[in-house]
């Protein structure tokens, strides 16, 4: 891999990391919101009087009240603050009549997916990411709404960084690497019989880097070098959620599954001019991204003030 390609790869990792950090640092907790399966599984083990028991260990019980008290003590302040931040951003955006197009959010999501390879897309779905990206953009719009950036400066930025807005065709892949072709065929048989790809990867794959992530490789393309070239050739022939025949690799044989394809796209200046304005303005603010200035404006009061 050439130095230019590596530098670009590192630059995009930094940019995407900043984007993710700016998403109010709540992606982890957004992903932890209970889904339908979680709700169904959260029935009490037993009930005792007025206190619901959520676990029994021998003769000892843990009640829902004890559990929730422990959660509040460990994470309560942080999660409550993040929930307040979300609502503050939404109310301030409504107050200043700031709205976002779906295209703007989708564009940010595409950039993050294709350029920040280590995101675990199996655990955080697109809707969660879109929500956090929307909040991040709204906050940046609020913080930079009075900034004056000349058209010439924005066009110069676009011209100097146009390669950042050129997205190559990318494939979201996972793989399972085993030592022999026979083992790879056995993996395919288990997949055909309904086994989970990620579970098999954790159990059988000899690629230590991806095995503990269920074989996850992220979004790979011809430029980022995250996967062998023959993976891209095979991915081109697959449909989403389809796995490959055994592929010869350096350490043995691999079975690859395609999750999603993102077609190549080049964003025009008009597509990204608002993003460029925000980026330049925030750079001039020394990268300060915080909801705190708006708390006072909305007269926020919260539980933890009583404990200070």
């Amino acid at each position: 891999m050439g130095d230019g390609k590596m530098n670009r790869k590192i630059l995009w990792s930094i940019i995407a990391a900043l984007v993710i950090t700016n998403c109010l640092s709540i992606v982890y907790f957004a992903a932890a919101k209970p889904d339908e399966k979680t709700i169904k599984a959260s029935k009490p083990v037993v009930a005792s009087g007025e206190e619901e028991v959520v676990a029994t260990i021998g003769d000892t019980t843990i009640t829902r009240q004890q559990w929730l008290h422990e959660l509040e003590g460990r994470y309560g302040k942080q999660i409550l603050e993040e929930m307040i931040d979300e609502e503050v951003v939404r109310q301030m955006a409504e107050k200043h009549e700031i709205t976002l197009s779906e295209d703007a959010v989708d564009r940010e999501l595409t950039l993050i997916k294709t350029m920040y390879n280590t995101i675990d897309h199996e655990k955080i779905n697109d809707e969660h990411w879109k929500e956090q990206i929307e909040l991040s953009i709204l906050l940046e719009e609020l913080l930079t709404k009075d900034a004056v950036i000349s058209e010439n400066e924005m066009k110069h930025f676009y011209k100097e960084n146009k390669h950042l807005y050129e997205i190559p065709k990318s494939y979201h892949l996972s793989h399972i690497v085993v030592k022999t072709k026979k083992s790879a065929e056995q993996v395919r048989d288990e997949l055909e019989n309904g086994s989970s790809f990620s579970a098999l990867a954790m159990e059988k794959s000899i690629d230590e880097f991806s095995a503990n992530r269920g074989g996850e490789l992220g979004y790979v393309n011809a430029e980022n070098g995250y996967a062998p070239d023959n993976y891209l050739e095979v991915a081109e022939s697959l449909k989403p959620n389809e796995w490959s025949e055994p592929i010869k690799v350096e350490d043995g044989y691999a079975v690859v599954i395609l999750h999603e394809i993102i077609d190549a796209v080049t964003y025009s200046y008009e597509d990204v001019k608002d993003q460029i304005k925000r980026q330049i303005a925030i750079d001039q603010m020394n990268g300060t991204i915080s909801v705190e200035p708006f708390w006072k404006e909305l007269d926020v009061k919260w539980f933890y003030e009583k404990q200070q």
Side-chain angles (χ1 to χ4, degrees), residues 138-146 285 288-290 293-294:
L138 287 175
L139 176 57
E140 291 179 355
E141 287 283 353
L142 287 166
L143 292 170
T144 62
K145 62 184 173 61
D146 298 323
M285 298 164 54
T288 304
I289 304 292
S290 174
F294 304 116

Side-chain angles (χ1 to χ4, degrees), residues 160-174:
E160 292 295 311
N161 298 280
K162 189 175 179 180
H163 62 282
L164 300 179
Y165 306 108
E166 297 173 345
I167 308 301
K169 189 170 186 177
S170 301
Y171 307 85
H172 181 196
L173 303 178
S174 295

Side-chain angles (χ1 to χ4, degrees), residues 7 23 55 101 129 145 176 196 215:
N7 289 339
C23 287
S101 69
W129 274 106
K145 62 184 173 61
I176 298 171
S196 161

Side-chain angles (χ1 to χ4, degrees), residues 6-232:
M6 178 61 76
N7 289 339
R8 178 175 175 184
K9 176 177 168 183
I10 294 170
L11 174 61
W12 261 115
S13 296
I14 294 169
I15 291 172
L18 291 173
V19 171
I20 294 166
T21 302
N22 290 348
C23 287
L24 306 181
S25 301
I26 55 180
V27 172
Y28 172 83
F29 293 101
K33 291 178 182 177
D35 57 19
E36 184 179 352
K37 292 180 181 178
T38 305
I39 292 170
K40 288 180 180 177
S42 63
K43 295 178 181 178
V45 176
V46 292
S48 175
E50 294 183 357
E51 292 200 0
E52 182 180 336
V53 176
V54 294
T56 59
I57 309 94
D59 295 330
T60 303
T61 62
I62 298 175
T63 67
R64 180 174 294 273
Q65 290 79 357
Q66 290 172 321
W67 176 37
L68 294 177
H69 180 74
E70 185 70 18
L71 287 173
E72 182 180 337
R74 294 190 186 189
Y75 310 113
K77 184 175 182 179
Q78 180 180 355
I79 296 176
L80 179 57
E81 185 172 1
E82 289 162 354
M83 291 172 69
I84 293 170
D85 282 348
E86 285 190 49
E87 185 58 25
V88 166
V89 169
R90 296 197 185 281
Q91 288 193 25
M92 288 297 298
E94 184 177 352
K95 177 179 179 179
H96 291 281
E97 299 181 341
I98 297 173
T99 58
L100 299 177
S101 69
E102 188 171 343
D103 285 348
V105 176
D106 286 342
R107 188 162 50 246
E108 295 274 3
L109 180 61
T110 298
L111 289 169
I112 290 174
K113 279 182 174 181
T114 57
M115 298 302 176
Y116 195 61
N117 180 264
T118 58
I119 294 174
D120 189 344
H121 293 279
E122 294 299 309
K123 294 182 180 178
I124 303 175
N125 63 32
D126 283 3
E127 290 308 311
H128 281 136
W129 274 106
K130 283 185 177 181
E131 181 182 356
Q132 306 316 312
I133 289 168
E134 179 185 6
L135 289 166
S136 178
I137 297 174
L138 287 175
L139 176 57
E140 291 179 355
E141 287 283 353
L142 287 166
L143 292 170
T144 62
K145 62 184 173 61
D146 298 323
V148 178
I149 309 295
S150 72
E151 194 80 9
N152 285 339
E153 187 174 0
M154 290 191 292
K155 286 183 176 179
H156 177 74
F157 183 96
Y158 178 78
K159 183 179 178 181
E160 292 295 311
N161 298 280
K162 189 175 179 180
H163 62 282
L164 300 179
Y165 306 108
E166 297 173 345
I167 308 301
K169 189 170 186 177
S170 301
Y171 307 85
H172 181 196
L173 303 178
S174 295
H175 72 167
I176 298 171
V177 181
V178 290
K179 291 184 178 180
T180 67
K181 187 174 182 179
K182 182 178 179 180
S183 296
E185 293 287 2
Q186 290 173 343
V187 165
R188 279 181 48 82
D189 289 343
E190 292 188 53
L191 291 170
E192 294 287 353
N193 289 326
S195 294
S196 161
F197 194 98
S198 61
L200 282 177
M202 287 187 279
E203 177 188 350
K204 297 179 179 293
S205 183
I206 61 174
D207 177 29
E208 295 181 4
F209 176 75
S210 64
N212 63 1
R213 297 190 300 149
E216 174 75 35
L217 291 173
Y219 285 77
V220 305
N221 56 59
E223 295 189 20
N224 64 22
Y226 289 134
D229 290 341
N230 59 346
Y231 276 26
L232 303 181

